[in-house]
Amino acid sequence: MTSLPKQVRLVEVSPRDGLQNEKRPVAIEDRLRLIDDLGAAGLRYIEAGSFVSPQWVPQMAGSDELFARLSRRPGITYAALTPNMRGFEAALAAGIEEVAVFAAASESFSQKNINCSIAESLDRFAPVIEAAGQHGIRVRGYVSCVLGCPYEGEIRPQQVMPVARDLYQAGCYEVSLGDTIGVGTAGTTRRLFETVAREVPRAQLAGHFHDTYGQALANIYASLLEDIAVFDSSVAGLGGCPYASGASGNVASEDVLYLLDGLGVETGIDLDRLIQAGVRICNVLGRDNGSRVARARLASSTPACS
Ligand code: HMG
Ligand code: MG
């Protein structure tokens, strides 16, 4: 059998990618509670908020207050998105130790999401990455629409590769490849990583799968076969992107953990506590739980009707 990574790091994006897509803003108190529940479950990397324009994404307003009030657990990285220097300066003032910049493999998506071309976005990120380096802050990079775009349709791996390479060469220590609209398959995922890995080492790549077509777990397994060992996921499958209509939530963290546990891959995360975190935030949001594993576990712990 092909060998799989022995350990995987899960990047929990629900407080950012999950909540940014909610119709109504979520109270800071509830955002903080979610982040703390995730830390208690053993997540070691939590994307907690976003320093973007509140006109563009009102749900992430108040991320400065959130970071000011966050009670940090030791050993956990709490990160945030910063699309430009304005966002980076706000993140720095909030005492952040890691930030993320986000580009796209599609010109149209780049315009809709951050109001500039791909090349302009990379120019904007350069001073952010430089300033971050001066302050000892690590920068993660995202590339969106790596397997398809809501405006342009098919995206080829050859379009993704230069954007991922430029982010890596600019100083991002890791580049997360995002299937923003969840159209990828195990086959296209493998070809994507094979291609991008010619320019960015596999240990510096991550997978970020939305589950619109129900392929995310298959795509994660395909990525494991490509020796990718970092995946972004969201408790209860919360999420989506305000600039990719119809994109469903991220793959549910509980479901990814169940897959990894079954493969004997270490993560350090406790499934029961993770399920509890998902249940609590779903109750706050008045939403159904998007994790199949959580739903199955909760149903089996409910006494059968007589
Ligand atoms: P813009 O309008 O071109 O920016 O937006 P601007 O520089 O012209 O500034 C316009 C106004 O916004 C000014 O305010 C700025 O001060 C303010 P005014 O003078 O008019 O009062 N502004 C800011 N305010 C707060 N924080 C900032 C900031 N920057 C400017 N950082 C901008 C450009 C990038 C700011 C905007 O397009 C934006 O905020 N976009 C965010 C989009 C976003 O958050 N999308 C979701 C996250 S990405 C995602 O979900 C994909 C991912 O999950 C991977 C995947 O699934 O593919 C990562
Ligand atoms: Mg996303």
Side-chain angles (χ1 to χ4, degrees), residues 13 16-17 20 47 50-57 60 81-88 90 101-103 109-116 124 142-146 176-181 208-210 232 240-243 250:
V13 295
R16 192 280 302 171
D17 209 349
Q20 77 180 9
E47 201 171 71
S50 202
F51 291 89
V52 298
S53 160
Q55 273 86 41
W56 284 65
V57 184
M60 288 292 104
L81 297 190
T82 55
N84 53 18
M85 277 308 287
R86 166 91 195 262
F88 177 75
V101 294
F102 47 107
F109 187 81
S110 184
Q111 290 291 350
K112 299 271 185 198
N113 195 38
I114 49 175
N115 206 23
C116 64
R124 268 185 206 173
Y142 280 104
V143 186
S144 286
C145 297
V146 297
S176 175
L177 303 185
D179 184 9
T180 315
I181 55 170
H208 177 110
F209 296 101
H210 287 258
D232 307 349
C241 176
Y243 300 101
N250 295 79

Side-chain angles (χ1 to χ4, degrees), residues 67-199:
F67 275 95
R69 290 174 54 189
L70 188 64
S71 58
R72 290 170 162 79
R73 288 173 184 262
I76 301 185
T77 300
Y78 299 94
L81 297 190
T82 55
N84 53 18
M85 277 308 287
R86 166 91 195 262
F88 177 75
E89 276 153 15
L92 189 62
I96 278 198
E97 67 261 40
E98 181 156 331
V99 297
V101 294
F102 47 107
S106 132
E107 284 294 349
S108 316
F109 187 81
S110 184
Q111 290 291 350
K112 299 271 185 198
N113 195 38
I114 49 175
N115 206 23
C116 64
S117 69
I118 299 169
E120 283 164 346
S121 75
L122 296 169
D123 287 347
R124 268 185 206 173
F125 301 151
V128 172
I129 296 169
E130 197 189 324
Q134 284 161 7
H135 289 89
I137 293 173
R138 300 206 307 168
V139 184
R140 194 169 192 250
Y142 280 104
V143 186
S144 286
C145 297
V146 297
L147 292 166
C149 166
Y151 311 103
E152 294 181 14
E154 190 196 344
I155 298 289
R156 289 171 296 109
Q158 287 75 11
Q159 291 170 265
V160 181
M161 191 235 270
V163 186
R165 179 201 57 211
D166 288 355
L167 287 171
Y168 178 62
Q169 288 181 352
C172 293
Y173 76 91
E174 183 170 284
V175 180
S176 175
L177 303 185
D179 184 9
T180 315
I181 55 170
V183 290
T185 64
T188 56
T189 298
R190 288 201 78 164
R191 281 195 288 282
L192 172 71
F193 280 115
E194 270 164 23
T195 306
V196 177
R198 290 181 207 142
E199 296 285 346

